[in-house]
Amino acid sequence: MQHEPRISRRQFLIAGIVAAHGLLIDHMQRTIGYAIRPSDAAPVVTARVYCPLIIADKRETAPIATPSPTATPSPTTTPSPTATSVPLLHHHVVHTYSPRATFWNYSTGWYGDSVDARVVAAMVDEGVTRLTRTTTRVDAWAALLPYYQPGQRIGIKVNFNNADRDDNDNEIDALMDPINAVIAGLLAIGVAQQDIWIFDVSHGDRQGVIPLRFKRRCAYPDIQYASYADEHPELGFSTTEKIRFNTPPNAPIPDLAICNALVNLHYLINMPIMKRHVGAGISLGFKNHFGSIDRCNVLHNYTDIGARFYSSTYNPLVDINNHPQIRGKTVLTIGDGLFGDRINNLSVPQRWRTFGNAAPNSLFFSRDPVAIDCVMADFLRAESGETPSADDYLRLAAEAGLGVYERGDPWGSGYSRIVYERVNLP
């Protein structure tokens, strides 16, 4: 028989501090607690909130950004970077979990047909309200986009690394259900459907398209799409906006163009998949932007561990994510861990022992791109072990000022710098 863990005096005092400062007051009805597990134990999610060390001195006030002077996006002008005026929990990562989010039997049909859209929508709404410390979907998205003006474009960077147009396999790719929930939030604050762009311009062995079965699950008919093979005016790469890489220790990298779909945006939401990678060890938010630039395949010699030009002191992922077109426009990262990939980036979804021999059924939310990748990397480590050097890029990104690097135990003792909050929904 499993007993309810007692809340320690220290946790009780922390919760009191949180309440006293008005942090997450509307969410504190649920039980808060955690237990440190032996390192060799297989952790199992329990029906409670995991909310370690959310304390008042973790807050900061974001700088005030000047709104873009025009509501009409320009293909040649970089839109103004955006910051939220809502007080932030410093390096906050919210993890929403529901055992009912997916129900695939791991043998028949497409796994994407085994997603409960209503549950996933609730997970997204809970994630963004927790992150912004608001109470409604409208307030949350207004906080994430405080300077939005009608006519400005908002992009959602997805991951279709394993897709082709008539995609009939079960290799892991983006799912429409959490994106539908994001779109619902954007529409709630007045964003027009035609100003929302879903894009991924990855191209290589596949056709570089957004598959038809993904589009069929979209609840909104006027959403725009851009991929490498789509015949659309937005197709193509900028002649001026390019990634200029710092000189690597082993060999120079040519400038690589950024796709016009991204250049023409005002705001960006990055939606990677929580997955391992056969070369780089992990493929998360930073690597998702391989699908935002031209000829990304040339970078594998620098990002794949043990490859010809790999170095622990330089990683081109940092230069990509530090570019103003990405860093200046990104308002949110949402990690898709509904199924995840515990083996490598080409795998069919499989059961995770750390989630009770089921799917992870998880979504992650943060405005710190380094912190959210660290947390997802820790879940992959708990499930499948650590690939040496897989997190080199995160350490380097933190040194470049892109966020906070910390490896911890999201199942147990948590983190000291990242504010990690797990919310378990029915």
Side-chain angles (χ1 to χ4, degrees), residues 159-172:
N159 188 303
F160 283 111
N161 190 59
N162 297 327
D164 53 33
R165 189 178 301 277
D166 298 317
D167 200 23
N168 294 316
D169 60 37
N170 269 322
E171 291 180 1
I172 189 76

PDB file of all heavy atoms in Angstrom, residues 159-172:
ATOM      1  N   ASN A 159       8.195  20.362 -35.580  1.00  0.00           N
ATOM      2  CA  ASN A 159       9.259  19.432 -35.973  1.00  0.00           C
ATOM      3  C   ASN A 159       8.685  18.315 -36.832  1.00  0.00           C
ATOM      4  O   ASN A 159       7.934  17.473 -36.350  1.00  0.00           O
ATOM      5  CB  ASN A 159       9.936  18.840 -34.731  1.00  0.00           C
ATOM      6  CG  ASN A 159      11.166  18.018 -35.081  1.00  0.00           C
ATOM      7  OD1 ASN A 159      11.088  17.074 -35.851  1.00  0.00           O
ATOM      8  ND2 ASN A 159      12.295  18.374 -34.501  1.00  0.00           N
ATOM      9  N   PHE A 160       9.053  18.351 -38.129  1.00  0.00           N
ATOM     10  CA  PHE A 160       8.654  17.300 -39.062  1.00  0.00           C
ATOM     11  C   PHE A 160       9.881  16.668 -39.702  1.00  0.00           C
ATOM     12  O   PHE A 160       9.920  16.420 -40.904  1.00  0.00           O
ATOM     13  CB  PHE A 160       7.708  17.851 -40.129  1.00  0.00           C
ATOM     14  CG  PHE A 160       6.318  18.041 -39.629  1.00  0.00           C
ATOM     15  CD1 PHE A 160       5.796  19.307 -39.458  1.00  0.00           C
ATOM     16  CD2 PHE A 160       5.541  16.951 -39.307  1.00  0.00           C
ATOM     17  CE1 PHE A 160       4.517  19.486 -38.982  1.00  0.00           C
ATOM     18  CE2 PHE A 160       4.252  17.113 -38.820  1.00  0.00           C
ATOM     19  CZ  PHE A 160       3.733  18.385 -38.657  1.00  0.00           C
ATOM     20  N   ASN A 161      10.855  16.402 -38.876  1.00  0.00           N
ATOM     21  CA  ASN A 161      12.103  15.837 -39.366  1.00  0.00           C
ATOM     22  C   ASN A 161      11.911  14.476 -40.041  1.00  0.00           C
ATOM     23  O   ASN A 161      12.677  14.087 -40.917  1.00  0.00           O
ATOM     24  CB  ASN A 161      13.087  15.699 -38.205  1.00  0.00           C
ATOM     25  CG  ASN A 161      14.476  15.357 -38.658  1.00  0.00           C
ATOM     26  OD1 ASN A 161      15.087  16.093 -39.417  1.00  0.00           O
ATOM     27  ND2 ASN A 161      14.987  14.223 -38.209  1.00  0.00           N
ATOM     28  N   ASN A 162      10.868  13.747 -39.646  1.00  0.00           N
ATOM     29  CA  ASN A 162      10.652  12.392 -40.161  1.00  0.00           C
ATOM     30  C   ASN A 162       9.480  12.293 -41.129  1.00  0.00           C
ATOM     31  O   ASN A 162       9.006  11.194 -41.411  1.00  0.00           O
ATOM     32  CB  ASN A 162      10.399  11.423 -38.996  1.00  0.00           C
ATOM     33  CG  ASN A 162      11.594  11.317 -38.081  1.00  0.00           C
ATOM     34  OD1 ASN A 162      12.726  11.411 -38.518  1.00  0.00           O
ATOM     35  ND2 ASN A 162      11.328  11.133 -36.794  1.00  0.00           N
ATOM     36  N   ALA A 163       8.998  13.420 -41.652  1.00  0.00           N
ATOM     37  CA  ALA A 163       7.746  13.411 -42.405  1.00  0.00           C
ATOM     38  C   ALA A 163       7.976  13.569 -43.903  1.00  0.00           C
ATOM     39  O   ALA A 163       8.960  14.158 -44.355  1.00  0.00           O
ATOM     40  CB  ALA A 163       6.839  14.529 -41.913  1.00  0.00           C
ATOM     41  N   ASP A 164       7.022  13.043 -44.677  1.00  0.00           N
ATOM     42  CA  ASP A 164       6.881  13.406 -46.074  1.00  0.00           C
ATOM     43  C   ASP A 164       5.397  13.684 -46.325  1.00  0.00           C
ATOM     44  O   ASP A 164       4.575  13.575 -45.420  1.00  0.00           O
ATOM     45  CB  ASP A 164       7.435  12.324 -47.004  1.00  0.00           C
ATOM     46  CG  ASP A 164       6.863  10.948 -46.726  1.00  0.00           C
ATOM     47  OD1 ASP A 164       5.682  10.867 -46.314  1.00  0.00           O
ATOM     48  OD2 ASP A 164       7.588   9.961 -46.897  1.00  0.00           O
ATOM     49  N   ARG A 165       5.056  14.068 -47.552  1.00  0.00           N
ATOM     50  CA  ARG A 165       3.699  14.564 -47.803  1.00  0.00           C
ATOM     51  C   ARG A 165       2.632  13.518 -47.473  1.00  0.00           C
ATOM     52  O   ARG A 165       1.613  13.814 -46.856  1.00  0.00           O
ATOM     53  CB  ARG A 165       3.572  15.011 -49.261  1.00  0.00           C
ATOM     54  CG  ARG A 165       2.261  15.751 -49.536  1.00  0.00           C
ATOM     55  CD  ARG A 165       2.195  16.229 -50.980  1.00  0.00           C
ATOM     56  NE  ARG A 165       3.289  17.107 -51.311  1.00  0.00           N
ATOM     57  CZ  ARG A 165       3.308  18.409 -51.039  1.00  0.00           C
ATOM     58  NH1 ARG A 165       2.296  18.959 -50.405  1.00  0.00           N
ATOM     59  NH2 ARG A 165       4.353  19.150 -51.370  1.00  0.00           N
ATOM     60  N   ASP A 166       2.827  12.303 -47.900  1.00  0.00           N
ATOM     61  CA  ASP A 166       1.876  11.230 -47.628  1.00  0.00           C
ATOM     62  C   ASP A 166       2.400  10.369 -46.486  1.00  0.00           C
ATOM     63  O   ASP A 166       2.580   9.165 -46.622  1.00  0.00           O
ATOM     64  CB  ASP A 166       1.664  10.393 -48.886  1.00  0.00           C
ATOM     65  CG  ASP A 166       1.074  11.214 -50.017  1.00  0.00           C
ATOM     66  OD1 ASP A 166       0.155  11.994 -49.756  1.00  0.00           O
ATOM     67  OD2 ASP A 166       1.569  11.081 -51.156  1.00  0.00           O
ATOM     68  N   ASP A 167       2.615  11.006 -45.364  1.00  0.00           N
ATOM     69  CA  ASP A 167       3.274  10.373 -44.229  1.00  0.00           C
ATOM     70  C   ASP A 167       2.381   9.269 -43.663  1.00  0.00           C
ATOM     71  O   ASP A 167       1.314   9.543 -43.109  1.00  0.00           O
ATOM     72  CB  ASP A 167       3.548  11.434 -43.157  1.00  0.00           C
ATOM     73  CG  ASP A 167       4.625  11.011 -42.192  1.00  0.00           C
ATOM     74  OD1 ASP A 167       5.438  10.151 -42.554  1.00  0.00           O
ATOM     75  OD2 ASP A 167       4.642  11.529 -41.071  1.00  0.00           O
ATOM     76  N   ASN A 168       2.808   8.021 -43.800  1.00  0.00           N
ATOM     77  CA  ASN A 168       2.008   6.892 -43.342  1.00  0.00           C
ATOM     78  C   ASN A 168       2.717   6.036 -42.299  1.00  0.00           C
ATOM     79  O   ASN A 168       2.248   4.946 -41.984  1.00  0.00           O
ATOM     80  CB  ASN A 168       1.614   6.012 -44.540  1.00  0.00           C
ATOM     81  CG  ASN A 168       0.672   6.728 -45.487  1.00  0.00           C
ATOM     82  OD1 ASN A 168      -0.271   7.376 -45.038  1.00  0.00           O
ATOM     83  ND2 ASN A 168       0.938   6.637 -46.785  1.00  0.00           N
ATOM     84  N   ASP A 169       3.856   6.512 -41.795  1.00  0.00           N
ATOM     85  CA  ASP A 169       4.569   5.712 -40.808  1.00  0.00           C
ATOM     86  C   ASP A 169       4.273   6.222 -39.407  1.00  0.00           C
ATOM     87  O   ASP A 169       3.488   7.147 -39.213  1.00  0.00           O
ATOM     88  CB  ASP A 169       6.083   5.720 -41.080  1.00  0.00           C
ATOM     89  CG  ASP A 169       6.684   7.112 -41.032  1.00  0.00           C
ATOM     90  OD1 ASP A 169       6.256   7.926 -40.181  1.00  0.00           O
ATOM     91  OD2 ASP A 169       7.582   7.411 -41.837  1.00  0.00           O
ATOM     92  N   ASN A 170       4.903   5.615 -38.415  1.00  0.00           N
ATOM     93  CA  ASN A 170       4.709   6.017 -37.026  1.00  0.00           C
ATOM     94  C   ASN A 170       5.970   6.613 -36.409  1.00  0.00           C
ATOM     95  O   ASN A 170       6.083   6.667 -35.182  1.00  0.00           O
ATOM     96  CB  ASN A 170       4.223   4.829 -36.191  1.00  0.00           C
ATOM     97  CG  ASN A 170       2.702   4.753 -36.142  1.00  0.00           C
ATOM     98  OD1 ASN A 170       2.036   5.787 -36.062  1.00  0.00           O
ATOM     99  ND2 ASN A 170       2.156   3.555 -36.212  1.00  0.00           N
ATOM    100  N   GLU A 171       6.909   7.037 -37.239  1.00  0.00           N
ATOM    101  CA  GLU A 171       8.069   7.736 -36.686  1.00  0.00           C
ATOM    102  C   GLU A 171       7.609   9.059 -36.088  1.00  0.00           C
ATOM    103  O   GLU A 171       6.712   9.733 -36.604  1.00  0.00           O
ATOM    104  CB  GLU A 171       9.124   7.959 -37.766  1.00  0.00           C
ATOM    105  CG  GLU A 171       9.786   6.669 -38.232  1.00  0.00           C
ATOM    106  CD  GLU A 171      10.837   6.900 -39.309  1.00  0.00           C
ATOM    107  OE1 GLU A 171      11.067   8.064 -39.679  1.00  0.00           O
ATOM    108  OE2 GLU A 171      11.406   5.907 -39.784  1.00  0.00           O
ATOM    109  N   ILE A 172       8.274   9.460 -35.006  1.00  0.00           N
ATOM    110  CA  ILE A 172       7.804  10.593 -34.210  1.00  0.00           C
ATOM    111  C   ILE A 172       7.874  11.902 -34.995  1.00  0.00           C
ATOM    112  O   ILE A 172       8.861  12.206 -35.646  1.00  0.00           O
ATOM    113  CB  ILE A 172       8.627  10.695 -32.895  1.00  0.00           C
ATOM    114  CG1 ILE A 172       8.008  11.722 -31.951  1.00  0.00           C
ATOM    115  CG2 ILE A 172      10.095  10.983 -33.187  1.00  0.00           C
ATOM    116  CD1 ILE A 172       6.778  11.226 -31.260  1.00  0.00           C
TER     117      ILE A 172
END
